Protein backbone atom coordinates (compact mmCIF):
# COMPACT_ATOMS: atom_id res chain seq x y z
CA UNK A 1 0.00 0.00 0.00
CA UNK A 2 1.13 3.53 -0.69
CA UNK A 3 2.18 5.93 2.01
CA UNK A 4 2.16 8.66 -0.62
CA UNK A 5 5.73 9.68 0.12
CA UNK A 6 6.14 11.05 -3.44
CA UNK A 7 2.68 12.59 -3.74
CA UNK A 8 2.70 15.27 -6.44
CA UNK A 9 6.50 15.03 -7.01
CA UNK A 10 7.63 14.98 -10.65
CA UNK A 11 9.94 12.07 -11.49
CA UNK A 12 11.57 10.75 -14.68
CA UNK A 13 12.58 7.10 -15.11
CA UNK A 14 14.49 5.61 -18.05
CA UNK A 15 14.54 1.95 -19.05
CA UNK A 16 10.99 1.38 -17.82
CA UNK A 17 9.79 -1.20 -20.37
CA UNK A 18 11.22 -4.08 -18.35
CA UNK A 19 12.82 -5.30 -15.16
CA UNK A 20 14.19 -2.85 -12.61
CA UNK A 21 13.11 0.34 -14.39
CA UNK A 22 9.56 -0.97 -14.65
CA UNK A 23 9.50 -1.93 -10.96
CA UNK A 24 10.86 1.51 -10.05
CA UNK A 25 8.26 3.32 -12.17
CA UNK A 26 5.38 1.27 -10.75
CA UNK A 27 6.59 1.84 -7.18
CA UNK A 28 6.90 5.61 -7.74
CA UNK A 29 3.42 5.69 -9.27
CA UNK A 30 1.98 3.81 -6.27
CA UNK A 31 3.60 6.41 -4.01
CA UNK A 32 1.92 9.26 -5.85
CA UNK A 33 4.68 10.56 -8.17
CA UNK A 34 3.81 12.18 -11.50
CA UNK A 35 5.95 10.40 -14.07
CA UNK A 36 7.85 10.86 -17.29
CA UNK A 37 8.67 7.37 -18.59
CA UNK A 38 11.29 6.73 -21.28
CA UNK A 39 12.36 3.58 -23.15
CA UNK A 40 13.31 2.51 -26.66
CA UNK A 41 10.78 -0.36 -26.49
CA UNK A 42 7.48 1.38 -27.28
CA UNK A 43 5.28 -1.66 -26.54
CA UNK A 44 6.88 -2.33 -23.15
CA UNK A 45 6.76 1.38 -22.39
CA UNK A 46 3.01 1.41 -23.02
CA UNK A 47 2.55 -1.65 -20.78
CA UNK A 48 4.36 0.02 -17.89
CA UNK A 49 2.53 3.27 -18.58
CA UNK A 50 -0.79 1.47 -18.19
CA UNK A 51 0.11 0.89 -14.52
CA UNK A 52 1.17 4.50 -13.90
CA UNK A 53 -1.84 6.83 -13.94
CA UNK A 54 -1.23 10.07 -15.83
CA UNK A 55 2.33 9.19 -16.87
CA UNK A 56 3.83 10.92 -19.90
CA UNK A 57 5.43 8.31 -22.17
CA UNK A 58 8.33 9.15 -24.48
CA UNK A 59 9.86 6.42 -26.65
CA UNK A 60 13.52 6.96 -27.49
CA UNK A 61 17.13 5.88 -27.27
CA UNK A 62 18.93 6.67 -24.00
CA UNK A 63 22.17 7.08 -25.98
CA UNK A 64 20.69 9.77 -28.24
CA UNK A 65 21.16 13.35 -27.04
CA UNK A 66 18.21 14.47 -29.16
CA UNK A 67 15.85 11.80 -27.78
CA UNK A 68 16.81 12.50 -24.16
CA UNK A 69 16.48 16.27 -24.67
CA UNK A 70 13.03 15.70 -26.22
CA UNK A 71 11.98 13.64 -23.19
CA UNK A 72 13.19 16.34 -20.80
CA UNK A 73 11.38 19.08 -22.72
CA UNK A 74 8.17 17.05 -22.82
CA UNK A 75 8.40 16.39 -19.07
CA UNK A 76 8.83 20.03 -18.22
CA UNK A 77 6.06 21.17 -20.57
CA UNK A 78 3.49 18.63 -19.36
CA UNK A 79 4.41 17.97 -15.74
CA UNK A 80 6.65 20.84 -14.64
CA UNK A 81 10.35 20.63 -13.73
CA UNK A 82 11.57 17.12 -12.90
CA UNK A 83 12.86 16.82 -9.31
CA UNK A 84 13.61 13.10 -9.24
CA UNK A 85 15.46 10.97 -11.81
CA UNK A 86 16.21 7.24 -12.01
CA UNK A 87 18.28 5.99 -14.95
CA UNK A 88 17.70 2.25 -15.40
CA UNK A 89 18.24 1.98 -19.19
CA UNK A 90 21.19 -0.32 -19.67
CA UNK A 91 22.51 -3.25 -21.68
CA UNK A 92 24.85 -6.15 -20.91
CA UNK A 93 26.56 -6.50 -24.27
CA UNK A 94 28.08 -9.80 -25.38
CA UNK A 95 29.78 -12.02 -22.81
CA UNK A 96 33.28 -12.21 -24.30
CA UNK A 97 36.77 -11.67 -22.86
CA UNK A 98 38.04 -8.12 -23.31
CA UNK A 99 40.63 -9.01 -25.93
CA UNK A 100 38.00 -10.71 -28.10
CA UNK A 101 35.40 -7.92 -27.92
CA UNK A 102 34.20 -6.22 -31.10
CA UNK A 103 34.71 -2.45 -31.22
CA UNK A 104 31.07 -1.77 -32.12
CA UNK A 105 29.81 -3.86 -29.17
CA UNK A 106 32.21 -2.13 -26.78
CA UNK A 107 31.11 1.30 -28.02
CA UNK A 108 27.39 0.49 -27.75
CA UNK A 109 27.69 -0.72 -24.14
CA UNK A 110 29.44 2.53 -23.20
CA UNK A 111 27.00 4.61 -25.26
CA UNK A 112 23.92 3.26 -23.47
CA UNK A 113 25.28 2.70 -19.96
CA UNK A 114 27.70 5.61 -19.50
CA UNK A 115 26.79 8.24 -22.08
CA UNK A 116 23.10 7.49 -21.51
CA UNK A 117 23.43 8.17 -17.79
CA UNK A 118 25.36 11.36 -18.49
CA UNK A 119 22.84 12.56 -21.10
CA UNK A 120 19.98 12.06 -18.65
CA UNK A 121 21.84 13.96 -15.92
CA UNK A 122 22.63 16.76 -18.37
CA UNK A 123 19.02 17.02 -19.50
CA UNK A 124 17.24 16.71 -16.14
CA UNK A 125 19.52 18.23 -13.50
CA UNK A 126 18.89 21.77 -14.82
CA UNK A 127 15.19 21.13 -14.13
CA UNK A 128 16.05 20.09 -10.55
CA UNK A 129 17.79 23.46 -10.17
CA UNK A 130 14.59 25.19 -11.26
CA UNK A 131 12.65 23.09 -8.76
CA UNK A 132 15.02 24.21 -5.99
CA UNK A 133 16.64 20.79 -5.51
CA UNK A 134 16.26 17.14 -6.39
CA UNK A 135 17.69 13.66 -6.40
CA UNK A 136 19.05 11.26 -9.01
CA UNK A 137 19.68 7.53 -8.73
CA UNK A 138 21.77 5.86 -11.44
CA UNK A 139 21.86 2.11 -12.03
CA UNK A 140 25.38 0.73 -11.68
CA UNK A 141 26.01 -2.90 -10.65
CA UNK A 142 28.12 -5.11 -8.44
CA UNK A 143 30.02 -5.46 -11.73
CA UNK A 144 30.85 -1.76 -11.38
CA UNK A 145 32.57 -2.38 -8.03
CA UNK A 146 34.42 -5.60 -8.91
CA UNK A 147 35.83 -6.78 -12.24
CA UNK A 148 34.29 -9.36 -14.55
CA UNK A 149 36.29 -11.66 -16.81
CA UNK A 150 33.20 -12.48 -18.86
CA UNK A 151 31.50 -9.07 -19.11
CA UNK A 152 34.44 -6.63 -19.29
CA UNK A 153 32.70 -3.85 -21.23
CA UNK A 154 29.67 -4.02 -18.94
CA UNK A 155 31.84 -4.04 -15.82
CA UNK A 156 33.98 -1.11 -17.02
CA UNK A 157 30.87 0.83 -18.03
CA UNK A 158 29.24 0.32 -14.63
CA UNK A 159 32.48 1.35 -12.90
CA UNK A 160 32.24 4.54 -14.93
CA UNK A 161 28.64 5.01 -13.77
CA UNK A 162 29.82 4.80 -10.14
CA UNK A 163 32.40 7.57 -10.66
CA UNK A 164 30.02 9.67 -12.76
CA UNK A 165 27.61 9.40 -9.81
CA UNK A 166 30.28 10.63 -7.40
CA UNK A 167 31.35 13.45 -9.73
CA UNK A 168 27.75 14.64 -10.16
CA UNK A 169 27.20 14.41 -6.41
CA UNK A 170 30.18 16.70 -5.78
CA UNK A 171 29.20 19.12 -8.54
CA UNK A 172 25.59 19.59 -7.41
CA UNK A 173 25.64 19.12 -3.62
CA UNK A 174 25.61 22.86 -2.94
CA UNK A 175 22.43 23.16 -5.04
CA UNK A 176 20.55 20.64 -2.89
CA UNK A 177 20.74 17.99 -5.61
CA UNK A 178 21.76 14.53 -4.37
CA UNK A 179 23.16 11.89 -6.73
CA UNK A 180 23.57 8.24 -5.76
CA UNK A 181 23.62 4.89 -7.51
CA UNK A 182 22.47 1.37 -6.75
CA UNK A 183 24.72 -1.62 -7.41
CA UNK A 184 22.42 -4.62 -7.78
CA UNK A 185 23.66 -8.18 -7.66
CA UNK A 186 21.80 -10.76 -9.75
CA UNK A 187 18.15 -9.75 -9.86
CA UNK A 188 15.35 -11.74 -11.50
CA UNK A 189 14.71 -9.71 -14.65
CA UNK A 190 14.70 -10.42 -18.40
CA UNK A 191 18.38 -9.30 -18.46
CA UNK A 192 19.32 -12.08 -16.01
CA UNK A 193 17.05 -14.54 -17.82
CA UNK A 194 18.93 -13.85 -21.06
CA UNK A 195 22.21 -14.65 -19.33
CA UNK A 196 20.93 -18.06 -18.27
CA UNK A 197 19.23 -18.78 -21.61
CA UNK A 198 22.64 -18.28 -23.27
CA UNK A 199 24.12 -21.09 -21.15
CA UNK A 200 22.78 -23.80 -23.50
CA UNK A 201 20.60 -26.79 -22.61
CA UNK A 202 18.54 -27.27 -19.45
CA UNK A 203 21.40 -28.87 -17.50
CA UNK A 204 23.91 -26.16 -18.46
CA UNK A 205 21.40 -23.50 -17.53
CA UNK A 206 20.70 -25.08 -14.13
CA UNK A 207 24.44 -25.33 -13.48
CA UNK A 208 24.97 -21.66 -14.32
CA UNK A 209 22.08 -20.61 -12.09
CA UNK A 210 23.48 -22.66 -9.19
CA UNK A 211 26.90 -21.00 -9.57
CA UNK A 212 25.35 -17.54 -9.61
CA UNK A 213 23.11 -18.20 -6.61
CA UNK A 214 26.11 -19.48 -4.65
CA UNK A 215 27.80 -16.08 -5.14
CA UNK A 216 25.02 -14.44 -3.12
CA UNK A 217 25.31 -15.24 0.61
CA UNK A 218 21.55 -14.75 1.11
CA UNK A 219 21.17 -17.81 -1.13
CA UNK A 220 18.83 -16.46 -3.79
CA UNK A 221 18.49 -13.90 -6.56
CA UNK A 222 17.07 -10.49 -5.76
CA UNK A 223 13.61 -9.34 -6.80
CA UNK A 224 13.03 -6.20 -8.89
CA UNK A 225 10.81 -4.77 -6.13
CA UNK A 226 13.73 -4.99 -3.68
CA UNK A 227 15.91 -2.84 -5.94
CA UNK A 228 13.02 -0.44 -6.56
CA UNK A 229 12.60 0.00 -2.77
CA UNK A 230 16.28 0.94 -2.47
CA UNK A 231 15.95 3.41 -5.34
CA UNK A 232 12.88 5.00 -3.75
CA UNK A 233 14.73 5.30 -0.43
CA UNK A 234 17.65 7.09 -2.11
CA UNK A 235 15.24 9.39 -3.99
CA UNK A 236 13.28 10.16 -0.83
CA UNK A 237 13.81 12.79 1.82
CA UNK A 238 14.67 9.96 4.24
CA UNK A 239 18.03 9.82 2.41
CA UNK A 240 18.50 13.58 2.74
CA UNK A 241 22.11 13.33 3.99
CA UNK A 242 23.21 10.68 1.47
CA UNK A 243 24.94 11.73 -1.73
CA UNK A 244 27.74 10.17 -3.79
CA UNK A 245 26.92 6.70 -2.46
CA UNK A 246 27.10 3.44 -4.43
CA UNK A 247 24.67 1.18 -2.58
CA UNK A 248 25.06 -2.58 -3.10
CA UNK A 249 21.69 -4.35 -3.30
CA UNK A 250 23.31 -7.71 -3.70
CA UNK A 251 22.36 -10.25 -1.03
CA UNK A 252 25.82 -9.86 0.49
CA UNK A 253 27.72 -10.65 -2.68
CA UNK A 254 30.36 -7.97 -2.11
CA UNK A 255 30.38 -8.21 1.69
N1 LIG B 1 19.07 -7.60 -13.49
C1 LIG B 1 20.21 -7.57 -12.88
O1 LIG B 1 20.63 -8.59 -12.33
C2 LIG B 1 21.03 -6.31 -12.80
C3 LIG B 1 22.14 -6.31 -11.97
C4 LIG B 1 22.91 -5.16 -11.87
C5 LIG B 1 22.57 -4.03 -12.57
N2 LIG B 1 21.49 -4.05 -13.40
C6 LIG B 1 21.21 -2.82 -14.14
O2 LIG B 1 19.89 -2.39 -13.90
C7 LIG B 1 19.37 -1.76 -15.06
C8 LIG B 1 18.07 -2.44 -15.46
O3 LIG B 1 18.38 -3.80 -15.75
P1 LIG B 1 17.24 -4.90 -15.97
O4 LIG B 1 17.75 -6.16 -15.39
O5 LIG B 1 15.94 -4.37 -15.57
O6 LIG B 1 17.35 -5.07 -17.55
P2 LIG B 1 16.21 -5.29 -18.64
O7 LIG B 1 16.94 -5.72 -19.87
O8 LIG B 1 15.14 -6.16 -18.10
O9 LIG B 1 15.63 -3.82 -18.83
C9 LIG B 1 16.41 -2.81 -19.38
C10 LIG B 1 15.48 -1.76 -19.95
O10 LIG B 1 16.29 -0.72 -20.53
C11 LIG B 1 15.79 -0.46 -21.83
N3 LIG B 1 16.89 0.02 -22.67
C12 LIG B 1 18.01 -0.64 -23.01
N4 LIG B 1 18.76 0.11 -23.83
C13 LIG B 1 18.08 1.26 -24.03
C14 LIG B 1 18.32 2.42 -24.79
N5 LIG B 1 19.42 2.54 -25.55
N6 LIG B 1 17.42 3.42 -24.75
C15 LIG B 1 16.29 3.32 -24.00
N7 LIG B 1 16.00 2.23 -23.27
C16 LIG B 1 16.88 1.22 -23.28
C17 LIG B 1 15.24 -1.77 -22.31
O11 LIG B 1 14.31 -1.60 -23.39
C18 LIG B 1 14.59 -2.31 -21.06
O12 LIG B 1 13.28 -1.81 -20.91
C19 LIG B 1 20.45 -1.84 -16.13
O13 LIG B 1 21.20 -0.64 -16.14
C20 LIG B 1 21.30 -2.98 -15.64
O14 LIG B 1 22.63 -2.89 -16.10
C21 LIG B 1 20.71 -5.15 -13.53
Amino acid sequence: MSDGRFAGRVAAVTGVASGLGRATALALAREGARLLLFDRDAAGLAQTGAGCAGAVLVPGDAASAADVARAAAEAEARLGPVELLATAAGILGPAVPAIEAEEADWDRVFAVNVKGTWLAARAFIPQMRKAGGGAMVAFASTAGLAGSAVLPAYSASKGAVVLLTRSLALAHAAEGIRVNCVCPGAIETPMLEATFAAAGDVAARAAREAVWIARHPLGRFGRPEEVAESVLFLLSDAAGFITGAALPVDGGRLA
Side-chain angles (χ1 to χ4, degrees):
M1 289 300 290
S2 165
D3 62 7
R5 68 189 141 144
F6 294 100
R9 309 280 297 275
V10 180
V13 188
T14 75
V16 298
S18 173
L20 306 183
R22 170 173 284 173
T24 299
L26 293 173
L28 280 166
R30 271 197 305 277
E31 303 270 3
R34 300 165 62 228
L35 291 171
L36 179 286
L37 303 180
F38 181 84
D39 203 289
R40 66 177 172 187
D41 168 1
L45 175 64
Q47 261 180 7
T48 304
C52 302
V56 174
L57 312 185
V58 179
D61 182 352
S64 156
D67 287 1
V68 174
R70 183 166 49 81
E74 193 124 336
E76 189 166 20
R78 296 176 58 184
L79 301 169
V82 167
E83 297 168 75
L84 307 170
L85 170 66
T87 52
I91 56 172
L92 271 183
V96 288
I99 60 170
E100 290 167 25
E102 296 293 338
E103 184 179 2
D105 293 333
W106 189 275
D107 286 347
R108 185 64 187 159
V109 168
F110 271 74
V112 177
N113 295 357
V114 187
K115 184 180 169 189
T117 304
W118 164 67
L119 286 173
R122 189 178 73 158
F124 288 102
I125 285 179
Q127 296 190 21
M128 295 180 194
R129 276 184 176 149
K130 286 187 199 170
M136 169 175 176
V137 176
F139 280 64
S141 170
T142 49
L145 298 173
S148 168
V150 288
L151 288 166
Y154 182 75
S155 177
S157 76
K158 294 299 187 178
V161 170
V162 171
L163 282 182
L164 175 58
T165 296
R166 292 185 175 150
S167 299
L168 289 167
L170 291 172
H172 298 289
E175 300 173 302
I177 296 168
R178 297 181 299 102
V179 185
N180 296 290
C181 64
V182 286
C183 297
I187 314 294
E188 289 166 344
T189 70
M191 183 182 275
L192 188 69
E193 177 59 31
T195 310
F196 295 136
D201 62 16
V202 176
R205 183 200 159 100
R208 184 174 287 187
E209 280 195 35
V211 168
W212 280 51
I213 287 178
R215 292 181 186 151
H216 295 75
L218 286 182
R220 63 174 175 85
F221 297 130
R223 293 185 288 274
E225 296 72 25
E226 293 175 309
V227 177
E229 264 312 312
S230 304
V231 174
L232 264 62
F233 165 67
L234 289 171
L235 289 176
S236 76
D237 297 340
F241 201 51
I242 302 177
T243 196
L247 176 67
V249 187
D250 68 350
R253 174 157 189 201
L254 296 181

